[in-house]
Amino acid sequence: MARKDDILKSLLTHELLESKYELKKEEIPSTIREALNSDKPIIKAIALIVEALEKSPPATDNELRNSILQYLNTAI
């Protein structure tokens, strides 16, 4: 498993996300690619963040903020 997949899984299995967004273990994707195709906005938003921060060179804070805001505005 790639490092970014491990990071994603670690974030998505956090108890706060599981309780607040009612994520079930079987709904949690195992790879970034699966997460980016998720129909759940929280999963896709976290995947976008991990993907942007793990690319070389990593996205700047401003680029990342704009990307996430753009996605969330279209997803809602």
Side-chain angles (χ1 to χ4, degrees):
M1 193 176 283
R3 179 175 180 233
K4 58 186 169 184
D5 294 334
D6 290 337
I7 294 169
L8 174 72
K9 191 163 186 90
S10 173
L11 291 169
L12 291 178
T13 56
H14 191 277
E15 62 188 42
L16 182 62
L17 283 175
E18 286 182 347
S19 64
K20 181 159 176 88
Y21 295 98
E22 299 175 358
L23 295 178
K24 296 176 178 65
K25 297 264 186 215
E26 54 275 356
E27 293 177 328
I28 296 174
S30 57
T31 66
I32 286 284
R33 184 148 328 273
E34 291 174 8
L36 290 171
N37 292 324
S38 177
D39 59 345
K40 296 196 177 281
I42 189 65
I43 292 175
K44 187 168 180 177
I46 291 173
L48 287 169
I49 293 167
V50 172
E51 179 76 10
L53 293 176
E54 286 296 304
K55 72 179 184 180
S56 182
T60 65
D61 290 347
N62 195 35
E63 291 170 337
L64 187 55
R65 186 184 79 244
N66 289 339
S67 172
I68 298 301
L69 286 175
Q70 180 181 8
Y71 165 68
L72 291 175
N73 283 333
T74 58
I76 295 177

